[in-house]
Amino acid sequence: MNDQPTAIRRPTRPIIVCADDYGIAPGVSEAIAGLIAAGRLSATSCMTALPDWKRRAGLLRETAATHPADVGLHLTLTDHVPLTAAVGLAQAGRLPAMGRLLPRALARALPRQAVRDELRAQLDAFEDAWNAAPDYIDGHQHAHVLPGIREVLVEELLLRYPRGSVWVRDCRESLARCVRRRTALPKALLISSLGLGLHRLLRRHGLPANDGFAGLHDFSGRVPFRTLMQSFLAGSGPRPLVHVHPGRVDDELRACDVLTTPRETELAYLASPAFAEDLAAAGFHPARFADFPRQTRAISQISPPDTSSGSIR
């Protein structure tokens, strides 16, 4: 008879593990598809304004057919070529850097029709390639939380889709979590402060969102990514989401984005046994939005920090 005690396995909670930037370049898209197939990611956000989206949508469809994952729109309003004329928003055929977009948004000076036209065009490009609505929407460099963009986003969701069928990324974090993490604090406070306005809009209109957000860091490499992930997983909310940026660096990525080598660091960790160990130790398993309960809770009483300066990345 075996007298050894039987190990009791703790039940785990669902968490969205979402890779941003699918479609930005082949090395990123293929890496994300590989992580979905390996069960390390449960969602990916797609940049439908970029050429690689059309080339790699089929790969993502094939991957998701056998390894189900949520697929969303990564609304892109910075740094890249728009799908529309984006009159009053783009200059010389290119969307503005966040450093130019942010002050205009804070001044309530964004051209809403241009934002609306570009959002609609990117949703059209998603649906044309995917043959379905996105499971959720978020923003490249979190631009979807900005004034003048968040209102347009909510209006379009209510017009275009059945209420509650498309989730939205809520980017709020508690002040305590931002401080404890001790990395990218100004960025985290800025995004969380701006995210409160989006959170209130979503609650007002009954649109579903995650409740718990993590993944912000400065991409400097000063703190090992595994250590960062362990802090991201600690103290998560009831419907948590952690966003990541894995990928392999190629010439197409170098030509269009400044975030390069850190993507390979994230990819190596997410593909390793260490990530699975850290998820299990924190009591989580990768899950989809549909695995979350739909209940809501009262709006957090957050005192927004000063947003008069800074940038989002």
Side-chain angles (χ1 to χ4, degrees):
M1 179 181 292
N2 186 355
D3 294 329
Q4 294 297 319
T6 302
I8 299 175
R9 181 173 296 178
R10 288 189 306 162
T12 56
R13 293 199 294 127
I15 186 172
I16 304 294
V17 185
C18 178
D20 288 358
D21 299 350
Y22 191 94
I24 195 172
V28 173
S29 301
E30 291 168 6
I32 290 172
L35 289 170
I36 291 173
R40 301 307 176 87
L41 297 175
S42 57
T44 188
S45 305
C46 304
M47 301 177 76
T48 65
L50 277 73
D52 196 58
W53 164 244
K54 287 187 177 180
R55 297 194 300 258
R56 297 296 187 281
L59 170 64
L60 185 56
R61 187 183 303 106
E62 292 171 4
T63 303
T66 53
H67 301 83
D70 284 329
V71 178
L73 175 69
H74 200 46
L75 175 62
T76 302
L77 296 174
T78 57
D79 292 332
H80 296 282
V81 177
L83 291 177
T84 65
V87 176
L89 183 63
Q91 288 190 344
R94 193 172 186 86
L95 293 162
M98 180 55 75
R100 287 181 46 235
L101 186 71
L102 179 61
R104 293 186 67 190
L106 295 179
R108 306 303 197 269
L110 291 179
R112 291 205 181 188
Q113 190 58 50
V115 172
R116 192 182 315 278
D117 290 346
E118 187 62 24
L119 168 60
R120 288 175 173 173
Q122 292 185 27
L123 283 169
D124 288 345
F126 184 98
E127 294 169 5
D128 288 347
W130 198 248
N131 296 320
D135 292 304
Y136 64 95
I137 297 178
D138 56 37
H140 186 52
Q141 298 183 316
H142 314 288
H144 70 300
V145 307
L146 296 179
I149 297 173
R150 62 198 183 205
E151 294 86 357
V152 171
L153 172 59
V154 169
E155 290 168 5
E156 187 63 21
L157 284 175
L158 293 172
L159 284 171
R160 191 171 184 127
Y161 305 114
R163 188 187 301 263
S165 63
V166 176
W167 289 63
V168 180
R169 179 184 292 179
D170 187 329
C171 295
R172 294 170 310 118
E173 285 188 274
S174 71
L175 176 61
R177 287 197 76 213
C178 294
V179 171
R180 277 199 305 269
R181 193 168 57 247
R182 294 186 294 180
T183 182
L185 181 59
K187 177 172 72 172
L189 293 177
L190 176 65
I191 293 172
S192 189
S193 173
L194 293 169
L196 181 58
L198 175 62
H199 170 77
R200 287 172 170 160
L201 275 176
L202 298 175
R203 288 288 303 275
R204 185 180 309 146
H205 294 286
L207 298 177
N210 54 292
D211 189 353
F213 171 72
L216 293 172
H217 64 107
D218 60 10
F219 301 102
S220 68
R222 288 191 296 267
V223 180
F225 189 70
R226 183 177 189 181
T227 302
L228 288 173
M229 180 58 74
Q230 290 169 341
S231 72
F232 297 153
L233 297 174
S236 299
R239 297 191 300 280
L241 179 151
V242 59
H243 75 296
V244 292
H245 294 82
R248 296 185 182 86
V249 178
D250 55 27
D251 289 342
E252 195 164 330
L253 179 64
R254 292 189 190 95
C256 74
D257 197 70
V258 297
L259 182 56
T260 55
T261 305
R263 295 181 188 269
E264 296 196 337
T265 301
E266 295 195 21
L267 172 61
Y269 166 74
L270 292 168
S272 73
F275 178 49
E277 293 166 6
D278 292 339
L279 274 176
F284 288 116
H285 64 271
R288 302 178 65 183
F289 284 100
D291 297 322
F292 286 150
R294 288 296 187 102
Q295 77 268 16
T296 58
R297 63 179 187 178
I299 296 175
S300 302
Q301 298 302 310
I302 299 173
S303 298
D306 180 18
T307 59
S308 60
S309 62
S311 60
I312 300 176
R313 175 65 194 176

